[in-house]
Amino acid sequence: MFQMSSMASKIKTAVLPVAGLGTRFLPATKSIPKEIMTLVDRPLIQYSMDEALAAGIEQFIFVTSRGKNALEDYFDRSPILESVLVERGRDDLLETVRDISQDSGRIAYIRQHSPLGLGHAVWCARHLLGNDPFAVILTDDIIQSDQPALGQLIEIHNETGHSVVALTEIDPTQSEHYGLVKYSHTDGSVVAIDALVEKPPPTEAPSNLAVIGRYILTPDILQSLNGIGQGAGQEIQLTDAISLSITNGYPVKGLLINGTRFDCGSKSGYLHATLAIAASHPTLGQAFRRIIRDLQGPHTQPTGQS
Ligand code: G1P
């Protein structure tokens, strides 16, 4: 669990686009939202929530779609469950369950009626965003780090007042899975971005620095979202709107994140995250590492089976 950042943050609101159908995880996602799937001992969405709360976020806008009601229930109070846990004297579980439920009004749920892209999902939140900078968290991207990745971005935003996007270095052959940045200047891990390109083929990639799912955006982005059409994959791309903001004179920084990012949008990335998080888990880690060692050994059958 992250420690609360001591630095006062101006970023109080986070948008979480969670409208995706999760088709890569069918059949599980036929009846539950992907964000509720368990990663070791918590639903995927809880990781984003914990990271955001640790970075000082106070209000959340979930951009949802049909079939995502389980997300609202997850963050709601659960009176019957809580009274059963009280009766059974399970104070530990009671505390866990109560910690998850957020105060009334802290999470707003709005719907994206059609899957028109990440930029469109953020645009759906426009009436709730006002004129303040805000965060965007893509829940598929799990980032293991000492300081929450969002907190790292907020520090750079507080220093510069600019939009800041999270970056990582990628294998250039993977460029078609990411938004990539064009830049000419870096200062340590901070990159002055000239433009962004969504999912280019390797031959057209402007660099090997890719955007990962954490953004601090200044409100000009909503204007830019109004001014762009469909981009890569025939979707309204957030990347294109950020690029347009730069063209319109709003500087954007990239920050190479100090941490490890897992892409839980793919089965292999999800398994990788499961292994890494389980192996470093404070209570399950030791036993889990033993299981992995045993699986790697010559005898992979559990004891007692032939
Ligand atoms: C989205 C963004 C892309 C970014 C990626 C990071 O793509 O559009 O720019 O690099 O998230 O995970 P998606 O993975 O939703 O296709």
Side-chain angles (χ1 to χ4, degrees):
M1 203 92 10
F2 296 112
Q3 293 299 306
M4 182 79 184
S5 161
S6 56
M7 190 167 171
S9 167
K10 292 182 227 153
I11 307 296
K12 298 293 176 207
T13 304
V15 177
L16 285 82
V18 288
L21 292 172
T23 45
R24 271 186 272 184
F25 288 89
L26 283 168
T29 47
K30 184 164 179 285
S31 61
I32 57 160
K34 180 177 61 181
E35 296 78 14
I36 294 290
M37 280 170 51
T38 308
L39 186 56
V40 183
D41 59 353
R42 290 179 285 158
L44 210 48
I45 190 76
Q46 188 69 55
Y47 290 82
S48 298
M49 209 60 184
D50 288 346
E51 182 185 325
L53 291 168
I57 299 295
E58 293 175 358
Q59 52 209 35
F60 298 84
I61 303 170
F62 280 42
V63 184
T64 73
S65 59
R66 186 174 291 274
K68 297 280 180 163
N69 295 352
L71 279 169
E72 294 191 41
D73 291 343
Y74 178 74
F75 289 110
D76 199 354
R77 291 297 293 266
S78 188
I80 295 174
L81 176 62
E82 287 177 30
S83 64
V84 168
L85 294 174
V86 170
E87 267 169 40
R88 294 183 184 170
R90 294 303 308 268
D91 293 349
D92 51 337
L93 290 177
L94 188 63
E95 197 186 324
T96 305
V97 165
R98 285 194 174 148
D99 276 355
I100 291 165
S101 54
Q102 300 295 314
D103 288 347
S104 296
R106 205 169 202 204
I107 307 180
Y109 298 90
I110 54 172
R111 282 202 174 183
Q112 183 184 25
H113 294 160
S114 323
L116 298 179
L118 176 58
H120 180 260
V122 172
W123 180 80
C124 289
R126 66 198 178 286
H127 294 304
L128 299 182
L129 283 169
N131 207 30
D132 292 323
F134 60 93
V136 175
I137 302 177
L138 306 189
T139 56
D140 274 352
D141 283 336
I142 296 288
I143 303 175
Q144 255 190 331
S145 56
D146 292 334
Q147 186 191 2
L150 197 62
Q152 296 177 37
L153 294 191
I154 288 174
E155 269 185 18
I156 303 300
H157 170 78
N158 287 350
E159 282 168 22
T160 61
H162 299 159
S163 290
V164 190
V165 301
L167 299 178
T168 194
E169 276 184 45
I170 57 152
D171 171 350
T173 61
Q174 298 301 304
S175 62
E176 278 165 297
H177 299 288
Y178 297 95
L180 294 179
V181 303
K182 180 172 185 289
Y183 67 96
S184 44
H185 176 71
T186 63
D187 179 4
S189 51
V190 180
V191 177
I193 299 178
D194 295 330
L196 298 98
V197 188
E198 183 69 11
K199 302 196 171 81
T203 49
E204 287 165 31
S207 75
N208 67 340
L209 295 188
V211 177
I212 49 176
R214 304 290 183 276
Y215 310 75
I216 304 297
L217 298 172
T218 48
D220 54 275
I221 198 71
L222 298 175
Q223 209 69 45
S224 297
L225 281 167
N226 276 327
I228 55 164
Q230 290 177 333
Q234 273 72 58
E235 293 186 344
I236 308 286
Q237 297 290 354
L238 186 57
T239 309
D240 294 344
I242 298 172
S243 237
L244 180 58
S245 275
I246 296 172
T247 308
N248 289 341
Y250 297 95
V252 177
K253 299 281 185 287
L255 176 69
L256 280 157
I257 290 296
N258 195 356
T260 308
R261 173 256 186 187
F262 302 97
D263 173 15
C264 289
S266 76
K267 281 183 183 167
S268 60
Y270 190 82
L271 286 175
H272 190 181
T274 304
L275 291 176
I277 290 168
S280 58
H281 193 281
T283 56
L284 302 169
Q286 199 179 8
F288 182 73
R289 290 194 298 274
R290 197 172 326 117
I291 293 167
I292 293 292
R293 266 197 307 276
D294 289 351
L295 284 173
Q296 287 170 331
H299 309 292
T300 53
Q301 294 283 8
T303 321
Q305 290 191 13
S306 56

